[in-house]
Amino acid sequence: MSKIKKIAVFTSGGDAPGMNAAIRSVVRSATFHDLHVFGIMQGYHGLIEGNINRLERKDVGNIIQRGGTILKTARSKEFMFPEGRQKAYESVQAFELDGLVAIGGNGTYTGAKKFGEEFGIPIIGVPGTIDNDIYGTDFTIGFDTAINTAIEAVDRIRDTADSHSRLFFIEVMGRHSGYIALYTGIGSGAGTIFLPETESNFDKLISLLKKEGRRKKLFNLVIVAEGNKNGNAMELAEMVKQEIDGIDTKVTIIGHLQRGGSPTANDRVLASRLGHSAVEGLLEGKSACAVGLRNNMVEFTSFEDAISKPNPLNKDLIKMAEILAM
Ligand code: F6P
């Protein structure tokens, strides 16, 4: 018999499409096991403030298709300090919580690891971030929706880029990770992709553009990850103008458009599976770990590993993207 009777779920860090599907899955899976479930508003901030409400099956109806998070989210500075975490623990005691499900990214896991170690409360992480930058899962909740949104935007830009023979620099999200840029670039057939993880492609881009100019072949889409080290989309477009006389460049920053919208089927199913497994994990006595999907199988990874190990880009995909764009 599990000692877990009451659990709470929260979302923290940047929102990601599919978080609601994960919340729904946690609530319904826990209710199935006769647990009492609570929703903590605004992540760690709500835990500190005691902004916690009972969630029942009916409360999570009609949300599987909605982007954002019904529990709201935040990046709490207070939780980074012992006083903040002490207050948060007082809420855990006041609501007699036996376990937590933390939906978010690396920052969320870091807070959960510390909190769990300090107060001995079982916590399981669920990877919710559009960045796909978490070790221990092939994909994070929200990534698939974000790249679909980005690709749809790039397709639209391609129409006008083609019509005017203009070179577009399109910036996608990913402060530290090039996953969104790489998948968007491959999926939209972009000419070049700038990633935070790789050496600068700038010289290659210039020589390609000069060559393309001679061949009169259109080369009009460059995808730039937000965290690209040698310049953002705006800066790269300027640098190209300095190098190539008379080139017509435009810049589009897709930005937070990628964070919203109805989750794709893949994200809904992923979120449902991971939310469900998080509850099962708590009931089996698991703690201080994150749930993920690897090779289509549910796996648990310690917070230690999930936080400290990278989720590197597949080098073969980077190479392939270059070959396909030639
Ligand atoms: O981590 C998700 C993410 O969307 C990153 O890709 C991006 O750099 C960051 O969040 C933006 O954060 P904010 O919405 O707080 O500006």
Side-chain angles (χ1 to χ4, degrees):
M1 274 290 281
S2 169
K3 291 191 300 259
I4 308 267
K5 298 275 176 271
K6 291 184 185 174
I7 67 164
V9 56
F10 63 92
T11 48
S12 166
D15 60 297
M19 279 183 163
N20 282 326
I23 295 166
R24 170 183 179 271
S25 175
V26 168
V27 172
R28 298 220 165 146
S29 302
T31 309
F32 171 79
H33 287 291
D34 294 325
L35 306 184
H36 281 213
V37 197
F38 294 84
I40 301 168
M41 300 303 292
Q42 283 188 288
Y44 293 117
H45 178 70
L47 191 56
I48 291 169
E49 300 291 313
N51 192 354
I52 299 170
N53 307 302
R54 184 73 207 280
L55 285 177
E56 295 185 55
R57 293 186 70 86
K58 64 175 175 18
D59 299 318
V60 291
N62 202 17
I63 66 166
I64 195 168
Q65 78 284 17
R66 283 168 58 188
T69 157
I70 59 160
L71 295 177
K72 315 279 184 191
T73 186
R75 292 188 166 106
S76 169
K77 282 225 169 66
E78 216 184 335
F79 195 77
M80 291 179 183
F81 298 96
E83 299 76 26
R85 292 196 294 276
Q86 178 58 43
K87 277 203 225 161
Y89 184 59
E90 284 159 22
S91 299
V92 166
Q93 287 180 308
F95 286 83
E96 299 174 327
L97 301 175
D98 306 310
L100 300 176
V101 176
I103 306 170
N106 256 300
T108 307
Y109 287 4
T110 306
K113 178 176 180 285
K114 189 120 194 99
F115 192 55
E117 282 166 1
E118 283 174 347
F119 299 101
I121 170 136
I123 311 178
I124 295 198
V126 174
T129 165
I130 63 165
D131 288 350
N132 205 41
D133 58 349
I134 297 187
Y135 176 83
T137 189
D138 290 339
F139 294 107
T140 57
I141 298 165
F143 173 67
D144 189 58
T145 309
I147 56 172
N148 273 285
T149 303
I151 286 171
E152 192 193 329
V154 176
D155 284 350
R156 287 168 194 263
I157 291 167
R158 184 194 278 275
D159 290 344
T160 175
D162 271 349
S163 305
H164 284 267
S165 304
R166 279 171 170 159
L167 177 67
F168 269 81
F169 287 82
I170 303 158
E171 188 172 301
V172 296
M173 275 187 162
R175 217 172 351 212
H176 306 293
S177 163
Y179 263 100
I180 297 177
L182 181 60
Y183 277 66
T184 302
I186 292 171
S188 60
T192 299
I193 310 168
F194 282 82
L195 305 165
E197 291 89 346
T198 54
E199 291 291 302
S200 167
N201 270 351
F202 189 71
D203 293 343
K204 224 187 273 176
L205 172 65
I206 296 300
S207 73
L208 265 172
L209 286 170
K210 288 182 174 163
K211 197 164 88 190
E212 300 300 309
R214 280 202 309 275
R215 281 203 290 164
K216 297 266 177 295
K217 176 185 175 294
L218 269 183
F219 174 100
N220 48 20
L221 299 172
V222 177
I223 305 294
V224 185
E226 183 188 358
N228 179 53
K229 294 204 188 68
N230 67 320
N232 57 28
M234 206 70 100
E235 290 160 345
L236 288 172
E238 254 335 290
M239 284 157 67
V240 166
K241 272 190 185 161
Q242 305 290 327
E243 294 280 336
I244 300 180
D245 259 1
I247 190 163
D248 192 2
T249 64
K250 294 281 170 189
V251 176
T252 300
I253 298 170
I254 305 180
H256 286 79
L257 265 179
Q258 290 153 101
R259 282 251 291 266
S262 182
T264 58
N266 275 333
D267 273 333
R268 295 180 198 197
V269 174
L270 178 68
S272 301
R273 288 181 75 181
L274 298 185
H276 178 73
S277 300
V279 172
E280 300 276 324
L282 278 176
L283 287 170
E284 286 163 14
K286 290 194 169 62
S287 180
C289 60
V291 64
L293 215 58
R294 273 173 152 175
N295 299 323
N296 209 18
M297 298 287 288
V298 171
E299 279 189 22
F300 289 85
T301 303
S302 69
F303 275 146
E304 179 71 44
D305 282 354
I307 294 161
S308 61
K309 294 190 175 172
N311 185 27
L313 292 176
N314 180 335
K315 290 206 175 78
D316 294 341
L317 281 189
I318 300 176
K319 183 94 202 97
M320 184 197 78
E322 283 175 12
I323 292 170
L324 298 188
M326 278 174 187

